[in-house]
Amino acid sequence: MTPENQKMYNAKLKRINDAIALKEPDRVPVSPPPELFPIFHAGYTVAEVVNDSSLQKMRTATIKYLKDFDPDSCWGSPVGFIMAGEGPGMELVKPKNMRWAGMPGNLIDQNSIHQFIEYPLLLDDEFDEFFQDRTGWILRKSLPRLTGLAEHLTDFSLDGDFSGGSVRMLASLLSTPASREMIHNLWAIDEYFSAFPPIISSMIEEVTEMGFPIPICGLLMVPFDEYSDYLRGTMLASADLYDRPEDIEKYTEARLEVILDGIKATKGQNDGGHIFMPLHKGMDGFMSDEHYRRFYWSHLQKIILAIIDSGKVPFIYTEGKYNTRIDCLTEVPPGKVFYHFEDVDMAVAKKKMKGIACISGGYPYSLLDWSNPSRVREEVKRYINMCAPGGGYIFSTSCGLGNAKRENVEAMFEAVKEFGKY
């Protein structure tokens, strides 16, 4: 890294760290989630980037975005969370619960972010099997529902012979045409995705050498989000809060222990890095305050404390409205947590989080998409005047920049750097 880039890197990282520590940096840091914007800004379609297994299109888009707009960090990673390069690999995986730009049949728009199709994997009459024989349930129920590769496993069973006959039985089961195809595809899937880490590591090194910090070093989920997103779906998970609270608790408490053990194992690694936690199902209206504290916040709070104890920063990314949850979010050690809000009264958030946690987000993305530079600047100034005093504020948009107008994005970055000085 050149001395000039090292100086820039240090200044940006200090700016972010000071804000998280509730100090007033030299100016308000600006680090919105770019999402698909760098792709459009570089002149690509999302489908082109998703299907480029070399990741060179994503590399070009990321570097152009960083150079043109000079954010205070490379948000997420150089490839983001947008399935860059994964298209050919997903064709091998054959998922039933996902759609992505450029997939065979073009089932969604060429410029759409990937879409999840939510449906229950765990059915009402399977809870006993799920808790008593998790591996068997995954093989016979979950995998066939998730991927076309495993549809033939619905009757997979090795019950019976415990001598050498069971080995012959396994050989027979895994030698059918469907199993042979599955095994060969699994080898191809592993080979395909194993090529990514070295490429991404090289991109991380390049971005860092340019002088841009990459704070996010891991991703975690609240156990209830896993239960709702992956196992039961939103509707059944919501009903389970009333009909199956013991089953929710049994699963989430067990998952919590696994998550906490995993966090503890990272102590001493990536000190100061951010652990990104998107909160999917904790928003206002998804559950009562009582249920939120029992099934959601009680676990999220323990995870936050474990992340802090491991030497890292919890980056809590709330989704949807979060006005009724702010009191819970204040129950953390001061100057250790970074909250991003999509939809919240930022004046209230600033008041309640003052002296407790760094806040960001809230700035309406719609202005960047539909408004004009003058209006963008006015609203940036209003948010800074509302949230910046006393420190503990990082400027960010409510959600990803998407297909925002370039002139509006330019106006936003310029306004933060003009009005955000302390």
Side-chain angles (χ1 to χ4, degrees):
M1 187 183 301
T2 67
E4 182 180 354
N5 287 356
Q6 184 69 63
K7 183 179 179 181
M8 183 173 80
Y9 179 94
N10 293 343
K12 290 178 181 295
L13 187 59
K14 185 177 188 303
R15 198 170 288 139
I16 291 170
N17 288 342
D18 282 352
I20 292 172
L22 308 180
K23 301 175 183 177
E24 290 188 348
D26 58 334
R27 68 159 170 79
V28 171
V30 53
S31 185
E35 198 198 47
L36 300 180
F37 179 78
I39 294 173
F40 301 134
H41 180 59
Y44 300 124
T45 66
V46 177
E48 286 178 304
V49 171
V50 168
N51 283 318
D52 174 26
S53 58
S54 73
L55 295 180
Q56 287 308 298
K57 288 184 173 64
M58 190 69 236
R59 172 188 171 276
T60 299
T62 297
I63 290 174
K64 180 173 175 56
Y65 167 75
L66 294 174
K67 286 183 174 179
D68 288 354
F69 298 99
D70 190 32
D72 282 309
S73 71
C74 180
W75 203 98
S77 80
V79 296
F81 302 118
I82 56 175
M83 289 186 65
E86 296 187 24
M90 296 305 291
E91 291 182 39
L92 295 171
V93 173
K94 299 180 182 178
K96 298 179 180 180
N97 65 338
M98 285 191 67
R99 301 288 185 265
W100 61 93
M103 70 181 297
N106 293 317
L107 299 180
I108 64 173
D109 190 85
Q110 296 288 293
N111 282 319
S112 172
I113 198 166
H114 53 281
Q115 303 293 313
F116 288 95
I117 303 170
E118 187 180 271
Y119 54 84
L121 293 180
L122 176 60
L123 305 185
D124 288 347
D125 61 352
E126 295 172 1
F127 275 81
D128 287 344
E129 180 183 2
F130 176 77
F131 285 120
Q132 293 170 15
D133 181 14
R134 188 71 54 86
T135 299
W137 177 82
I138 290 172
L139 282 172
R140 291 187 291 269
K141 305 293 174 60
S142 177
L143 285 176
R145 291 166 185 160
L146 279 173
T147 169
L149 292 179
E151 289 177 341
H152 66 290
L153 295 180
T154 52
D155 297 320
F156 190 92
S157 175
L158 289 175
D159 290 344
D161 194 342
F162 295 101
S163 64
S166 60
V167 176
R168 294 193 297 273
M169 186 185 301
L170 178 63
S172 176
L173 289 170
L174 295 181
S175 296
T176 64
S179 289
R180 288 174 183 267
E181 180 184 3
M182 179 186 72
I183 291 169
H184 282 286
N185 273 321
L186 291 175
W187 290 342
I189 290 166
D190 183 65
E191 182 177 354
Y192 185 85
F193 286 101
S194 292
F196 280 15
I199 301 174
I200 295 173
S201 293
S202 176
M203 292 170 67
I204 290 172
E205 183 178 353
E206 183 175 10
V207 167
T208 303
E209 290 285 331
M210 290 170 58
F212 292 93
I214 307 176
I216 294 178
C217 64
L219 183 148
L220 288 173
M221 290 182 67
V222 177
F224 183 83
D225 282 342
E226 294 182 356
Y227 180 87
S228 178
D229 288 0
Y230 305 135
L231 293 176
R232 294 286 281 165
T234 303
M235 298 301 292
L236 290 180
S238 298
D240 290 347
L241 290 168
Y242 299 91
D243 300 335
R244 294 178 176 273
E246 295 83 7
D247 288 328
I248 294 178
E249 208 152 52
K250 186 174 181 180
Y251 172 79
T252 56
E253 290 291 339
R255 276 297 298 153
L256 177 65
E257 291 306 312
V258 172
I259 292 169
L260 295 180
D261 286 344
I263 296 171
K264 291 174 185 176
T266 69
K267 193 164 186 173
Q269 304 171 21
N270 297 310
D271 284 351
H274 298 182
I275 303 299
F276 180 66
M277 291 192 69
L279 307 186
H280 292 167
K281 303 296 173 65
M283 65 187 73
D284 296 352
F286 263 53
M287 59 179 75
S288 68
D289 291 342
E290 179 184 355
H291 282 152
Y292 181 80
R293 280 196 172 273
R294 177 181 173 185
F295 295 108
Y296 207 96
W297 175 246
S298 63
H299 298 149
L300 175 56
Q301 185 185 42
K302 290 175 183 175
I303 294 171
I304 287 173
L305 295 177
I307 292 171
I308 294 170
D309 186 64
S310 76
K312 290 173 275 294
V313 177
F315 178 7
I316 311 303
Y317 194 90
T318 72
E319 297 188 4
K321 290 183 180 292
Y322 237 77
N323 293 298
T324 67
R325 312 302 191 196
I326 293 180
D327 287 339
C328 287
L329 300 186
T330 63
E331 299 169 4
V332 296
K336 302 292 185 181
V337 183
F338 173 25
Y339 289 117
H340 177 282
F341 294 103
E342 177 184 356
D343 187 355
V344 78
D345 186 326
M346 290 295 283
V348 173
K350 176 65 178 181
K351 181 179 179 180
K352 292 198 172 186
M353 291 294 173
K354 186 176 182 180
I356 296 174
C358 177
I359 62 171
S360 73
Y363 184 89
Y365 156 79
S366 57
L367 288 177
L368 303 177
D369 204 0
W370 303 107
S371 191
N372 57 66
S374 177
R375 178 75 180 92
V376 166
R377 285 175 55 84
E378 290 175 5
E379 195 68 359
V380 167
K381 186 175 182 179
R382 188 176 78 84
Y383 267 76
I384 288 175
N385 290 341
M386 176 171 54
C387 301
Y393 176 58
I394 295 175
F395 184 91
S396 181
T397 47
S398 58
C399 58
L401 299 181
N403 199 12
K405 296 176 183 176
R406 172 177 176 150
E407 61 268 28
N408 287 342
V409 176
E410 288 177 342
M412 178 189 70
F413 275 99
E414 290 170 359
V416 175
K417 293 170 184 179
E418 177 182 348
F419 301 127
K421 296 176 182 176
Y422 283 97

